[in-house]
Amino acid sequence: MTSRKQIAKPKVAFFDFASCEGCQLTVVDALQTHVELLDAVEIVQFREASSERREDYQIAFVEGSITRPQDEERLRRIREQAAVLVALGACAHTGCVNALKNLHKPEDVRRWVYGDCADWYETYAARPLSAVVKVDAVIPGCPIDRHEFVEVVKAVLVGKKPPIPDYPVCVECKLKGNVCVFHVGKTCLGPVTRAGCGAICPTHGDGCEGCRGLIPHPNENAMEEVLDEVGLTLDQIMGQFTMFNAYREVENGEWAQ
Ligand code: SF4
Ligand code: SF4
Ligand code: SF4
């Protein structure tokens, strides 16, 4: 009698750079309700959830922004090993709130945070993974959406492009029949922000703050005009655009100091 040869499962690893680790926590949460994923892959490294620490992974999920020169070296090693590298969450995808410091002079930032010990810490402008290495897929959001994480894993496992929307949050918001928050005196970046969260903030009465990054070719000028028309000052408009997207705005020269 011949025995059936077991097909090796793809080996997956999770890594983190500058982040709050909330996206990894969402992964742990998602794996509890989608245990079928644990049958489909072998997790060989995941500091937040396992003591396993192997380097023979093929798929790397990387959380966090790059904020120090030595981070680049570690990220490049991960990239060399991984056949597929996925940016996990807004810190890795856009730079997220870490990039707020890019709006200020690096020496000022170091002094505010570390005081007299500022010179001990080597840190530079925060940046997304894609500023350093090729990224094969992204899971947007602060934190990620657990359902989207599951869908991205399934797509990666069958070699498909992950299904990340390229239309704005307003589409999901309208489909839900929400009252636009602009009608109740609030503001929202939904017209220029990438959908996929189910318009969760407007659905609960708050404006979108752009945590999933902007859509391709956003009409930022029109968005600024709308925010201006409802009475926001230039500083407040800048605050809206840079809350989660400061890296992009500074790189584009929009709100440089
Ligand atoms: S994207 Fe948000 S939740 Fe995820 S690690 Fe960064 S700060 Fe935390
Ligand atoms: S609340 Fe925001 S997302 Fe919803 S329709 Fe208005 S602008 Fe668009
Ligand atoms: S509505 Fe905007 S801020 Fe809220 S989760 Fe979605 S993309 Fe993020």
Side-chain angles (χ1 to χ4, degrees), residues 169-170 173-174 180-182 188 190-191 202:
V169 171
C170 284
C173 191
K174 288 295 176 198
C180 179
V181 300
F182 278 101
C188 181

Side-chain angles (χ1 to χ4, degrees), residues 44-216:
V44 299
Q45 190 169 160
F46 191 173
R47 185 182 54 77
E48 193 167 295
S50 163
S51 51
E52 191 83 58
R53 199 178 170 86
R54 280 162 47 194
E55 302 292 342
D56 56 341
Y57 50 89
Q58 290 120 9
I59 303 170
F61 287 90
V62 183
E63 181 194 68
S65 307
I66 303 307
T67 58
R68 303 174 301 174
Q70 62 263 43
D71 291 345
E72 291 195 13
E73 196 184 319
R74 179 172 166 239
L75 179 60
R76 287 201 177 95
R77 280 203 303 272
I78 295 169
R79 176 70 274 187
E80 268 172 33
Q81 170 62 32
V84 178
L85 188 151
V86 183
L88 183 71
C91 290
H93 173 210
T94 63
C96 194
V97 292
N98 297 317
L100 281 169
K101 74 174 187 180
N102 300 4
L103 298 168
H104 306 278
K105 292 193 182 99
E107 55 272 26
D108 289 346
V109 173
R110 272 212 299 274
R111 194 68 57 198
W112 290 332
V113 175
Y114 301 115
D116 293 344
C117 302
D119 294 339
W120 296 6
Y121 298 94
E122 201 179 5
T123 172
Y124 65 15
R127 58 205 71 189
L129 307 185
S130 61
V132 179
V133 296
K134 177 175 172 281
V135 169
D136 301 303
V138 300
I139 307 179
C142 176
I144 58 165
D145 178 279
R146 74 193 69 184
H147 305 295
E148 195 169 54
F149 168 74
V150 173
E151 293 311 311
V152 169
V153 172
K154 286 179 181 171
V156 166
L157 290 179
V158 296
K160 279 190 174 171
K161 189 172 182 284
I164 303 298
D166 59 3
Y167 49 84
V169 171
C170 284
V171 173
E172 290 177 331
C173 191
K174 288 295 176 198
L175 285 171
K176 285 196 159 177
N178 293 336
V179 172
C180 179
V181 300
F182 278 101
H183 291 307
V184 293
K186 296 184 179 175
T187 59
C188 181
L189 289 186
V192 291
T193 301
R194 186 184 296 276
C197 60
I200 189 167
C201 299
T203 300
H204 292 279
D206 278 325
C208 170
E209 294 190 312
C211 84
R212 290 177 57 84
L214 302 193
I215 48 170

